[in-house]
Amino acid sequence: MSVDTTTVLTERLARRGVRIFSAAVLIFLVAPVLIVIPLSFNQSTYFSYPMTGATLGWYETIFSSAEWRAAIVNSFVIGLSATAIATVLGTLAAIGISRPSFPFRGLIVPILIAPMIIPIVIVAVSLYLVFAPLQLINTHLGVVLAHAALGTPFVVITVTARLMAFDNNLSRAAAGLGASPWTSFRRVMLPQILPGVATGSIFAFATSFDEVVVILFIGGTEQRTIPRQMWAGIRDQINPTILAMAGLLTIFAIVLFLAIGWLQGRNSAPSR
Amino acid sequence: MSAMELTSPGRARSRTVDPRAGYRAARRREALRAFLLAVPLLVFLSATFIYPIGKLLLMSVQSEEVVNAVPGTAALLAGWPGPPELPSPQTFETLAADLQKAQQEGSLAAAARRLNNYEPGFRTLLLKTVRQLPSTSGRPYSEELPKIDKRWGEAETWRLLKRAATRYTPDFLLTAMDRKVGPSQTIVPVEPSQAIYVDAFIRTFSISASVTLICLILGYPVAWLLANLPARQSNLLMIFVIVPFWTSLLVRTTAWYVLLQPNGVVNSLLVGSGLTSGPIALMFNRTGVLIGMTHVLLPFMILANYAVMRGIPPVYQRAAVSLGAHPALAFLRVYVPQTMPGIGTGTFLVFVLALGYYITPALLGGAGDEMISQIVALQMDRQLNWGLAGALSVYLVIFTLAVYVVFNKLVGVDRLRLG
């Protein structure tokens, strides 16, 4: 009996320990952003509390600065173009590799995942080496191609995961009823995998939207994106404008996160 | 109906010949069709990813600049046995002619830069020599060159020139491991003052391993809690993991940059609470790198473990306890082994991503915390030493692939999920 009570006690203690520890870790995860964003409303340029007064001035600076505006536009243009390429190519490949008949899977899957795993600096330096003679350095096209390559693994992984739940008999049934492969894809398979495709494309977009290293090496002054502009800002003379941009990006991150959550709700809906 | 009639004779014929052959042909067609779907992406990645990286890795063994600049000398030196004798007087004459021609053609600068990678000072030697060549008195160059610079009278200089004047070279791969080919064709360590790359690899490894370990220690209990709480509470707490995960890497690094400053928020808290008497150095050192990298990579560890833990039925552990096992023992021997795929995936992701880190150490680290990625960037960007950048990349890619292979063996790449 006494053994039992001590076991129960230690178990309860362990549980409480895990709760306190986890709470500390979770606070560590969110604290930096929660502490820093308010400083973007600080009137003074010091990065410490207590704040001297609240202002929207730093946010105003961003929207009135031609450089920041160009960076924001560039980020979206490059991100959306790269996402379009990554989504189309990645989805096709995912449909291919999830077929049981797919050959050389063990060799090809690692190649498709590689852009996620190979250190980004190596990718950036290699692209410089190859793009320079082709005059793709300092061009939108070069950056879009590079970002599309970096985004494809995310599309491949999410669509493949989604396809695991797809019943191939449905495609067969459609074919048996006389649907062409294209019709069968568009009317039967695509609606089912669409949440996976959308999740993958959001990942691909976020990858491009947040990418600094490749753009440092192959994007010139014309291709300044938000991360590129922030990097320069931190390196030169950090000021609260950077924090204001950080605030905007955090809001954007929450929007993307909510989009993924919504898509995952749709993801699990049909199967359960 | 007409379509059936069109296709059925062919099928019927093959079936009559050999049903198995027909089946195999159909399977091949299916495999081909599946493969064709992946072809566009494979072609795209070949052009934008595989070919460029292959080219960079090849740079590690290529050395064309010197041969192209002094082709005649290279040919003659190929037949020279090496120290202690000096090359033939003919070689001296050819070199003088080659150098002047290279100067006119504009290929000298690249060759000089490459030679400088072998021996600091070689560049000045070449440029000085080519500047003074026209004003020599017309005696044989085997006498004139050593007069311009006494290094031309040393066999060691010529040995280096011979080594550099070959199209393929192991030298960059050796340099990246702090080794070089010594005078007697043996591989020897470089001078201690130049031996920096092995240390950088060890540092990259130890930083990545530390970050992985910290993430595992911090992340495992959190993942366990999230997986075992009632769904509503768990979903709420999950926001604390996923919002940072989605927040821009640069935003998070910037936040730490601001927080960790000598007069930043963390230091004012430390001093204000009396924990330390004055501000302590939290960034531009290893502490900053570890804090920043852990913060960025921790969500990967939590999410990977959470995904696995959520699928583990609690009955096994309960059964072990009801059979008399101590809860701690039941946890260690029954629960933890079931979470191995999660631990494996999380560890793999964090370690591999940490190996290639660039931004966070560049912003939060100090002079002593350079990771291999930063050195690759430096060699390419500032030193224009493509050979060494390629060689360092070769090792980094090999290490990364090795980690991938181990992961794939132990856990399987199919377990890699997102979101």
Side-chain angles (χ1 to χ4, degrees):
Chain A
M1 206 50 195
S2 69
V3 175
D4 256 17
T5 41
T6 49
T7 340
V8 168
L9 267 178
T10 47
E11 223 185 312
R12 202 171 288 166
L13 218 65
R15 266 169 207 281
R16 179 157 301 172
V18 169
R19 271 161 201 263
I20 293 168
F21 184 83
S22 302
V25 174
L26 292 176
I27 288 169
F28 165 73
L29 275 176
V30 288
V33 175
L34 288 188
I35 294 172
V36 162
I37 301 304
L39 287 177
S40 66
F41 298 101
N42 200 355
Q43 262 179 353
S44 83
T45 54
Y46 292 109
F47 299 121
S48 57
Y49 289 91
M51 283 172 34
T52 46
T55 171
L56 280 171
W58 306 113
Y59 286 86
E60 227 177 282
T61 316
I62 287 182
F63 288 109
S64 60
S65 140
E67 267 192 7
W68 275 113
R69 275 212 308 265
I72 294 170
V73 171
N74 270 334
S75 273
F76 277 98
V77 169
I78 291 171
L80 291 174
S81 321
T83 304
I85 299 174
T87 306
V88 173
L89 297 181
T91 305
L92 277 180
I95 295 171
I97 61 172
S98 16
R99 297 232 171 124
S101 54
F102 190 78
F104 318 116
R105 186 189 311 271
L107 195 74
I108 288 171
V109 171
I111 294 178
L112 300 185
I113 310 275
M116 215 172 103
I117 292 168
I118 297 293
I120 188 75
V121 164
I122 294 184
V123 179
V125 170
S126 322
L127 284 173
Y128 183 88
L129 188 64
V130 171
F131 280 4
L134 298 174
Q135 316 220 301
L136 280 171
I137 301 292
N138 303 349
T139 64
H140 265 84
L141 180 62
V143 181
V144 166
L145 292 176
H147 281 187
L150 293 176
T152 50
F154 297 99
V155 180
V156 171
I157 289 175
T158 49
V159 177
T160 310
R162 181 72 194 165
L163 277 167
M164 279 182 185
F166 179 73
D167 186 355
N168 265 314
N169 286 327
L170 293 176
S171 289
R172 274 189 216 117
L177 290 168
S180 71
W182 168 242
T183 311
S184 154
F185 167 74
R186 201 166 48 88
R187 310 264 314 255
V188 178
M189 189 189 257
L190 193 59
Q192 294 248 345
I193 62 169
L194 204 56
V197 175
T199 307
S201 63
I202 291 178
F203 269 105
F205 181 77
T207 306
S208 164
F209 205 72
D210 195 22
E211 203 287 321
V212 207
V213 183
V214 167
I215 204 121
L216 274 180
F217 279 84
I218 69 167
T221 40
E222 303 280 297
Q223 278 70 42
R224 285 194 165 226
T225 57
I226 298 169
R228 174 73 181 77
Q229 190 74 9
M230 284 182 74
W231 165 269
I234 303 169
R235 291 237 117 171
D236 299 344
Q237 177 69 57
I238 183 163
N239 66 57
T241 321
I242 308 285
L243 300 191
M245 197 63 233
L248 293 176
L249 285 180
T250 308
I251 294 167
F252 192 59
I254 292 171
V255 171
L256 289 185
F257 156 68
L258 291 176
I260 292 274
W262 180 73
L263 286 166
Q264 287 201 327
R266 291 180 47 131
N267 249 335
S268 49
S271 54
R272 265 162 235 168
Chain B
M1 219 27 204
S2 64
M4 278 275 273
E5 279 161 8
L6 274 176
T7 53
S8 53
R11 274 190 196 165
R13 204 178 306 134
S14 68
R15 203 172 289 149
T16 50
V17 174
D18 177 5
R20 259 184 262 163
Y23 174 69
R24 274 202 297 274
R27 294 232 7 196
R28 263 203 301 279
R29 266 200 307 278
E30 232 169 75
L32 185 69
R33 221 174 290 146
F35 186 71
L36 281 179
L37 285 168
V39 163
L41 180 53
L42 280 171
V43 169
F44 180 72
L45 284 184
S46 302
T48 57
F49 186 76
I50 299 165
Y51 170 70
I53 286 179
K55 193 161 173 157
L56 174 67
L57 298 185
L58 261 185
M59 295 294 272
S60 67
V61 291
Q62 272 171 353
S63 150
E64 318 232 290
E65 290 94 332
V66 180
V67 190
N68 291 343
V70 293
T73 316
L76 282 173
L77 281 176
W80 170 58
E85 281 106 73
L86 281 171
S88 64
Q90 173 69 30
T91 317
F92 282 78
E93 301 291 329
T94 314
L95 178 69
D98 274 350
L99 284 179
Q100 275 172 314
K101 193 151 167 275
Q103 166 87 321
Q104 283 158 16
E105 285 170 357
S107 59
L108 190 68
R113 199 162 55 222
R114 172 126 306 203
L115 278 162
N116 220 41
N117 296 334
Y118 279 89
E119 180 76 26
F122 224 116
R123 186 161 174 261
T124 18
L125 171 63
L126 277 196
L127 297 182
K128 172 185 171 191
T129 309
V130 88
R131 221 176 21 247
Q132 296 189 13
L133 273 178
S135 58
T136 49
S137 57
R139 277 179 302 176
Y141 281 115
S142 50
E143 290 172 32
E144 286 294 340
L145 287 183
K147 223 173 249 165
I148 294 173
D149 194 302
K150 66 174 174 17
R151 278 177 280 179
W152 290 119
E154 294 163 7
E156 180 63 17
T157 310
W158 290 92
R159 188 185 68 82
L160 284 172
L161 188 61
K162 179 183 174 175
R163 282 202 62 76
T166 47
R167 285 195 187 276
Y168 294 96
T169 170
D171 290 347
F172 299 112
L173 289 172
L174 289 172
T175 308
M177 282 285 122
D178 294 339
R179 298 285 184 279
K180 64 176 182 183
V181 176
S184 52
Q185 298 297 309
T186 51
I187 293 170
V188 295
V190 298
E191 291 79 37
S193 62
Q194 288 176 36
I196 49 174
Y197 302 114
V198 170
D199 281 349
F201 274 111
I202 294 175
R203 185 162 57 237
T204 304
F205 259 105
S206 71
I207 290 179
S208 305
S210 316
V211 169
T212 310
L213 192 67
I214 298 172
C215 282
L216 185 61
I217 293 170
L218 296 184
Y220 193 85
V222 177
W224 180 85
L225 186 72
L226 290 174
N228 286 287
L229 277 178
R232 273 187 63 187
Q233 288 180 45
S234 161
N235 283 343
L236 201 67
L237 288 182
M238 206 56 177
I239 295 175
F240 285 67
V241 182
I242 297 199
V243 167
F245 180 74
W246 276 99
T247 307
S248 156
L249 164 75
L250 215 54
V251 169
R252 296 200 267 163
T253 308
T254 311
W256 283 114
Y257 192 95
V258 168
L259 288 178
L260 298 178
Q261 290 189 355
N263 52 359
V265 176
V266 174
N267 261 318
S268 21
L269 277 177
L270 285 175
V271 175
S273 64
L275 280 172
T276 54
S277 51
I280 50 175
L282 293 168
M283 65 178 203
F284 302 138
N285 58 25
R286 190 64 60 86
T287 316
V289 176
L290 290 181
I291 293 177
M293 285 177 71
T294 302
H295 187 256
V296 174
L297 294 170
L298 185 55
F300 288 95
M301 184 65 88
I302 295 178
L303 292 173
N305 277 298
Y306 170 78
V308 169
M309 287 172 176
R310 217 176 35 164
I312 296 177
V315 286
Y316 298 113
Q317 204 187 340
R318 249 184 259 144
V321 173
S322 76
L323 288 170
H326 188 272
L329 196 69
F331 180 76
L332 277 178
R333 304 260 311 259
V334 176
Y335 190 77
V336 173
Q338 294 185 80
T339 62
M340 272 321 199
I343 295 177
T345 311
T347 305
F348 165 74
L349 275 176
V350 173
F351 189 71
V352 158
L353 293 175
L355 274 184
Y357 249 53
Y358 177 76
I359 297 295
T360 311
L363 288 178
L364 297 175
D369 305 296
E370 274 194 328
M371 296 184 67
I372 287 295
S373 281
Q374 290 167 271
I375 299 180
V376 170
L378 180 85
Q379 288 299 336
M380 174 257 163
D381 214 23
R382 302 260 172 78
Q383 316 282 344
L384 294 169
N385 191 348
W386 285 96
L388 191 54
L392 293 166
S393 304
V394 165
Y395 293 116
L396 193 53
V397 167
I398 290 175
F399 293 145
T400 308
L401 291 183
V403 178
Y404 172 83
V405 168
V406 171
F407 166 72
N408 199 21
K409 269 257 144 59
L410 293 181
V411 185
V413 71
D414 301 342
R415 287 217 173 244
L416 221 53
R417 294 280 183 82
L418 297 162

